[in-house]
């Protein structure tokens, strides 16, 4: 056996791609090391801040949502960093594509909970759904999307370990992210209608409103506007990322979208990083008060 044959035999198989065309890299490129480190640092800092803010304001729902999303992103970008050091390995590739797809899902749930609180404060009469049902319906959709994506990721990972085609798992992940994007689309539409109806005083129905302390009206008004801005911006960023990942998975493992690193860095990493920091800086605890001040359904 000559040296060329020996080298070829020693290279690990890569069922996701054609090793001859892409030099054995399942990405079709080598992830940039400093970019991976940058996102690991950014998501770690945001996650730590979310832990501190969640505990300080007693908003415990942020721990299994915003904090969990940051942890998932740190894992995903750590896997990409691993790949930057040894791009031929398939384990970190599957790890990063699974975690970066799943990680933003809990962050979406945080937005659903925050909007429910805004509906309670601004007036349930302007919302198609009550705050309670809003949270139940969309958090359930978010959970379903999370389960589907996790099942797809596990299927793809198992296929790779067995040197089988992981496309089935990829299709399942695609179904999960499409379902999530559909839920976000409906959520954005209903949230936009709620904001417009409130702005123009066009209630959907008559609802008995709780009384407010008149002394709180002025500061609450400004803070609620900032909270609406935070919610709108973070939701938009997550939606852009969902559209990108849908197109990426539809294009396939060997498609041009998944093969272009800058698209992933900007349309996935940057969008979610900006979304998490938006909630850090325009925090619901700062703008809506600590947990004891939150209205209950």
């Amino acid at each position: 056996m000559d040296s060329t044959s020996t080298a070829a035999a020693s290279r690990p198989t890569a069922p996701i791609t054609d090793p001859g065309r892409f030099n054995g890299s399942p990405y079709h490129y080598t992830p940039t090391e400093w970019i991976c480190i940058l996102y690991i640092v950014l998501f770690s800092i945001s996650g730590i801040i979310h832990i501190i803010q969640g505990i300080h304001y007693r908003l415990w729902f942020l721990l299994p949502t915003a904090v969990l999303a940051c942890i998932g992103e740190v894992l995903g970008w750590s896997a990409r960093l691993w790949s930057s050091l040894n791009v031929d390995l398939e384990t970190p590739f599957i790890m990063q594509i699974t975690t970066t797809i799943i990680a933003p899902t809990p962050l979406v749930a945080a937005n659903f909970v925050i909007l429910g609180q805004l509906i309670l404060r601004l007036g349930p009469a302007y919302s198609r759904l009550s705050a309670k049902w809003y949270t139940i319906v969309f958090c359930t959709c978010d959970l379903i999307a999370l389960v589907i994506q996790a099942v797809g990721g596990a299927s793809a990972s198992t296929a790779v370990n067995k040197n089988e085609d992981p496309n089935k798992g990829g299709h399942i992940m695609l179904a999960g992210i499409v379902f999530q994007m559909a839920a976000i689309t409906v959520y954005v539409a209903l949230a936009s209608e709620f904001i417009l109806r409130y702005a123009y005083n066009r209630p959907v129905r008559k609802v008995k409103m709780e009384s407010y302390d008149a002394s709180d009206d002025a500061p609450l008004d400004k803070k609620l506007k900032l909270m609406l801005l935070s919610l709108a911006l973070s939701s938009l960023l997550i939606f852009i990322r969902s559209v990108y990942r849908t197109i990426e998975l539809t294009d396939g493992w060997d498609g041009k979208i998944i093969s272009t690193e800058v698209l992933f860095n900007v349309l996935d990493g940057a969008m979610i990083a900006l979304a998490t920091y938006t909630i850090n800086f325009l925090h619901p605890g700062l703008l809506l008060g600590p947990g004891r001040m939150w209205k209950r359904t």
Side-chain angles (χ1 to χ4, degrees):
M1 182 180 294
D2 58 22
S3 59
T4 303
S5 299
T6 302
S10 65
R11 178 178 293 280
T13 57
I16 295 175
T17 61
D18 177 354
R21 288 171 54 202
F22 302 111
N23 298 320
S25 169
Y27 298 87
H28 317 293
Y29 60 83
T30 300
T32 304
E33 184 176 347
W34 73 267
I35 291 289
C36 298
I37 295 173
L38 173 64
Y39 279 117
I40 291 171
V41 172
L42 287 175
F43 284 115
S44 296
I45 292 174
S46 180
I48 292 171
I49 294 174
H50 274 302
I51 292 174
I52 295 172
Q53 290 175 320
I55 294 174
H56 175 72
Y57 291 111
R58 300 294 191 270
L59 295 179
W60 307 115
F61 76 90
L62 290 171
L63 301 184
T65 55
V67 173
L68 187 59
C70 289
I71 292 173
E73 290 290 345
V74 169
L75 291 174
W77 285 95
S78 295
R80 288 179 69 86
L81 178 60
W82 182 7
S83 290
S84 73
L85 303 175
N86 193 339
V87 76
D88 290 342
L89 294 179
E90 289 166 348
T91 298
F93 173 76
I94 291 297
M95 178 180 171
Q96 64 85 32
I97 201 168
T98 302
T99 52
T100 56
I101 284 176
I102 293 175
T105 302
L107 189 63
V108 177
N111 282 353
F112 294 157
V113 175
I114 294 170
L115 180 60
Q117 181 63 200
L118 285 171
I119 289 172
L120 283 174
R121 297 195 181 200
L122 294 177
Y126 302 103
S127 174
R128 290 282 173 185
L129 297 176
S130 68
K132 176 181 178 180
W133 279 106
Y134 210 106
T135 303
I136 290 174
V137 169
F138 287 101
C139 283
T140 299
C141 289
D142 212 39
L143 180 60
I144 292 172
L146 177 63
V147 171
I148 295 173
Q149 292 167 24
V151 169
S155 175
S157 179
T158 300
V160 168
N161 291 333
K162 294 181 178 179
N163 287 328
E164 296 175 354
D165 187 357
N167 281 325
K168 180 180 178 181
H171 293 154
I172 296 174
M173 283 193 287
L174 174 60
I177 201 167
V178 167
F179 180 82
Q180 183 183 58
M181 186 175 71
I184 294 174
T185 301
V186 175
Y187 151 75
V188 169
L190 290 176
S192 299
E193 182 195 27
F194 165 71
I195 294 170
L196 289 173
R197 284 185 175 278
Y198 174 77
Y200 291 98
N201 193 22
R202 296 288 188 270
V204 177
R205 60 189 178 280
K206 292 183 179 180
V207 176
K208 184 178 179 181
M209 301 293 292
E210 296 182 19
S211 61
Y212 289 88
D213 185 345
S215 63
D216 291 338
D217 284 349
L220 269 178
D221 184 63
K222 181 178 180 180
K223 290 181 178 180
L224 285 172
K225 287 180 180 179
L226 287 174
M227 192 69 257
L228 285 170
L229 174 62
S230 172
L231 195 64
L233 181 56
S234 61
S235 297
L236 176 62
L237 292 166
I238 294 171
F239 182 75
I240 291 172
R241 173 264 176 193
S242 296
V243 172
Y244 160 71
R245 293 311 290 258
T246 300
I247 296 172
E248 177 199 59
L249 289 175
T250 302
D251 196 37
W253 298 100
D254 297 325
K256 185 175 181 180
I257 304 298
I258 202 171
S259 306
T260 307
E261 182 183 15
V262 66
L263 292 179
F264 183 86
N265 293 341
V266 174
L267 297 178
D268 188 285
M271 294 300 103
I272 301 305
L274 288 172
T276 60
Y277 277 98
T278 295
I279 300 176
N280 280 135
F281 286 108
L282 297 174
H283 195 268
L286 177 65
L287 300 177
L288 300 180
R292 67 179 183 275
M293 294 179 60
W294 281 45
K295 292 182 177 294
R296 311 300 176 187
T297 56

